[in-house]
């Protein structure tokens, strides 16, 4: 029998808001031993996700993009917009400044196989599970998928 996301997901996940101080989000991740948190607005709509990857910039900092000078012009060898985004994350003080926007999501009625394929194809470690109104009702992690595989 095929299992759905709804059968395996963690229900009522801990969420944070964009204005949540970064230190508070880091504390939640550390204390609860989780690697990411959905970020919601004032009405509970998903606006992003904050993960350990997003927080690494806080510790490592950023390296300016390489460039060359040619006839008094600067030619960047990498996209300077990427540097700006990473710098913003490194200096951010709130969840909203550091989170990844437009996270990949899934609905609870999708199959576990579809979820696993989506995680693999998009290279994500967790999928916020949204109901038909866009409210976060759960979260599905790679660990949840592996545990479901082991149980069957």
């Amino acid at each position: 029998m095929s299992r759905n996301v709804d059968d395996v997901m963690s229900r009522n996940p801990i969420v944070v808001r964009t204005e949540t101080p970064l230190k508070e989000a880091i504390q939640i991740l550390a204390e609860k031993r989780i690697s990411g948190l959905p970020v919601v607005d004032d009405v509970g709509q998903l606006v992003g996700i904050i993960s350990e990857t997003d927080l690494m910039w806080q510790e490592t900092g950023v390296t300016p993009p390489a460039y060359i000078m040619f006839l008094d012009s600067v030619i960047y060898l990498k996209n300077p917009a990427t540097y700006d985004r990473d710098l913003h994350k490194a200096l951010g003080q709130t969840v909203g400044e550091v989170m990844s926007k437009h996270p990949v999501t899934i609905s609870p009625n999708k199959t576990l196989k579809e979820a696993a394929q989506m995680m693999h194809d998009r290279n994500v470690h967790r999928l916020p599970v949204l109901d038909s109104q866009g409210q976060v009702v759960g979260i599905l992690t790679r660990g949840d998928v592996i545990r479901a595989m082991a149980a069957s």
Side-chain angles (χ1 to χ4, degrees):
M1 179 168 112
S2 173
R3 297 175 92 177
N4 286 346
V5 169
D6 197 2
D7 301 326
V8 180
M9 71 181 189
S10 299
R11 297 179 187 286
N12 304 314
I14 300 168
V15 298
V16 291
R17 299 190 184 282
T18 54
E19 65 273 8
T20 301
L22 212 46
K23 288 185 184 269
E24 184 179 326
I26 292 169
Q27 195 69 34
I28 292 168
L29 292 171
E31 286 176 2
K32 301 294 183 183
R33 296 183 183 262
I34 53 179
S35 60
L37 294 165
V39 183
V40 297
D41 63 14
D42 292 334
V43 294
Q45 297 287 310
L46 184 71
V47 294
I49 197 154
I50 187 161
S51 69
E52 292 169 334
T53 304
D54 297 317
L55 295 168
M56 287 298 109
W57 294 113
Q58 292 284 310
E59 194 63 31
T60 62
V62 279
T63 304
Y67 65 91
I68 56 174
M69 296 290 293
F70 183 72
L71 300 175
D72 291 332
S73 296
V74 175
I75 300 171
Y76 288 99
L77 301 176
K78 290 187 176 180
N79 187 347
T82 302
Y83 169 71
D84 288 344
R85 184 198 68 216
D86 294 346
L87 182 62
H88 195 69
K89 284 188 177 208
L91 299 175
Q93 296 298 306
T94 65
V95 167
E97 294 172 320
V98 176
M99 71 181 188
S100 295
K101 297 177 182 170
H102 314 295
V104 180
T105 63
I106 197 161
S107 64
N109 61 347
K110 294 290 186 183
T111 67
L112 210 49
K113 182 177 181 175
E114 290 173 296
Q117 187 69 53
M118 188 181 295
M119 287 176 163
H120 174 71
D121 292 348
R122 298 285 196 81
N123 194 28
V124 295
H125 296 269
R126 72 203 54 76
L127 293 171
V129 183
L130 305 183
D131 66 12
S132 58
Q133 286 80 40
Q135 300 289 312
V136 178
V137 294
I139 194 155
L140 183 73
T141 66
R142 288 183 175 195
D144 295 329
V145 174
I146 297 300
R147 282 186 289 281
M149 290 168 57
S152 57

